[in-house]
Amino acid sequence: MGETEQAPPGVDITVPSPARIYDYILGGTANYEVDRQAAEKVRQAMPDMVDTAWANRGFLQRSVRWLAEQGVRQFIDVGAGLPTGNNTHDAVQAVAPDARILYADFDPIVEMHAKELLKDVPGTACITADFRDPDSVLEHPETRAMIDFTEPVALLLVTVTHFVSDEDDPWGLIQQYMDRLVPGSYLALSAVTSDRQMEGAVDDLKKVFAKSSSGGAYPRSRAEIASFFTGLDIVPPYKGAPAEVCYFGEWGAEDPVAADSEGSRWGYCAVARKPA
């Protein structure tokens, strides 16, 4: 797509969108010149951005497959982004064809593309809703029709919280979501970190996203990301590992050493269970 093409109604192509930037990084086509320019600025700050994006994508795919293997049959993927190869429902329904997956994103273009992709896929739906407003996600009619909140749910927050400022309290928001899910539910979360990165690179990254529809980016420390899981039981990310957050590529990896790339070290992730 290019900016000479007409944007769908309700889609602003004068401001870069995190969902469309991510789509471009992963090789998708649902992006515009403003997004490609922003992505190239991200590349200057983060030369390993493609490796980072695919390491994060790998975490999503491995974690939801693992969750399906544990018997989870309901998934709410908040900040889902634009559909690309091997989406959440592809990975989940390969294990559990009866599983239900609700996608949510605050960018309306995501729902537009997802509805076309999902029209013949049973057990899936997509809504436009903002993570920062839990009711917009959890009380949406599509959500209430699809998700049985008396049964365990996997809440997926994959590269979402680093677009939420401290003032908007992502920790408190996550608590609100998890409070409304029954014991045995899970949180799968990944987030970009400021650890080990050059201060200038982090500042440049923040500048790019300050001009995007997200309004900013907030990479956080390992301790800050780990605190998203307060009150939950973190699952060991691979055999023999301690039950704690790890780098993107390590989670579920058969060879964690080989998976520990420079791109992978741009973020931490974990899967955690809500105890009884």
Side-chain angles (χ1 to χ4, degrees), residues 229-254:
F229 300 93
T230 299
L232 305 176
D233 295 332
I234 294 180
V235 174
Y238 53 88
K239 187 176 181 180
E244 58 188 24
V245 299
C246 66
Y247 293 125
F248 287 164
E250 294 177 324
W251 204 98
E254 293 183 9

Side-chain angles (χ1 to χ4, degrees), residues 82-133:
L82 283 154
T84 186
N86 199 4
N87 295 288
T88 300
H89 69 272
D90 294 313
V92 169
Q93 292 182 341
V95 175
D98 60 331
R100 301 187 298 281
I101 300 91
L102 177 87
Y103 295 100
D105 200 285
F106 84 112
D107 189 333
I109 199 171
V110 172
E111 183 177 357
M112 294 175 192
H113 281 269
K115 283 191 178 300
E116 179 64 25
L117 176 75
L118 302 175
K119 64 181 180 181
D120 297 320
V121 182
T124 62
C126 184
I127 62 173
T128 300
D130 192 331
F131 164 68
R132 293 166 293 189
D133 179 2

Side-chain angles (χ1 to χ4, degrees), residues 27-246:
T29 58
N31 51 76
Y32 297 86
E33 182 61 25
V34 67
D35 308 304
R36 294 189 284 273
Q37 289 179 359
E40 291 307 323
K41 291 179 182 176
V42 172
R43 192 192 301 275
Q44 293 173 21
M46 184 191 292
D48 299 304
M49 73 173 189
V50 174
D51 181 24
T52 300
W54 282 110
N56 178 64
R57 192 75 180 171
F59 162 68
L60 170 66
Q61 294 165 353
R62 293 190 300 273
S63 63
V64 298
R65 186 167 58 246
W66 182 87
L67 287 163
E69 289 169 349
Q70 309 315 302
V72 179
R73 294 296 179 266
Q74 303 184 109
F75 297 76
I76 300 178
D77 189 347
V78 182
L82 283 154
T84 186
N86 199 4
N87 295 288
T88 300
H89 69 272
D90 294 313
V92 169
Q93 292 182 341
V95 175
D98 60 331
R100 301 187 298 281
I101 300 91
L102 177 87
Y103 295 100
D105 200 285
F106 84 112
D107 189 333
I109 199 171
V110 172
E111 183 177 357
M112 294 175 192
H113 281 269
K115 283 191 178 300
E116 179 64 25
L117 176 75
L118 302 175
K119 64 181 180 181
D120 297 320
V121 182
T124 62
C126 184
I127 62 173
T128 300
D130 192 331
F131 164 68
R132 293 166 293 189
D133 179 2
D135 281 347
S136 75
V137 178
L138 300 178
E139 298 299 331
H140 192 285
E142 290 264 22
T143 308
R144 305 305 299 186
M146 173 170 284
I147 303 298
D148 178 358
F149 287 97
T150 67
E151 296 293 331
V153 175
L155 174 67
L156 313 179
L157 298 176
V158 178
T159 54
V160 173
T161 57
H162 56 245
F163 293 122
V164 182
S165 69
D166 287 1
E167 289 72 20
D168 283 329
D169 188 16
W171 299 272
L173 288 167
I174 290 170
Q175 187 67 54
Q176 289 184 52
Y177 280 91
M178 297 308 297
D179 282 349
R180 292 162 75 169
L181 304 182
V182 300
S185 295
Y186 286 85
L187 170 66
L189 180 149
S190 65
V192 168
T193 184
S194 53
D195 291 354
R196 299 183 66 257
Q197 311 306 331
M198 296 289 291
E199 185 176 345
V202 173
D203 288 344
D204 288 346
L205 195 65
K206 290 179 179 180
K207 289 175 183 177
V208 173
F209 285 102
K211 298 178 181 179
S212 76
S213 58
S214 72
Y218 309 90
R220 295 185 168 97
S221 69
R222 186 181 192 279
E224 289 173 313
I225 293 169
S227 66
F228 288 134
F229 300 93
T230 299
L232 305 176
D233 295 332
I234 294 180
V235 174
Y238 53 88
K239 187 176 181 180
E244 58 188 24
V245 299
C246 66

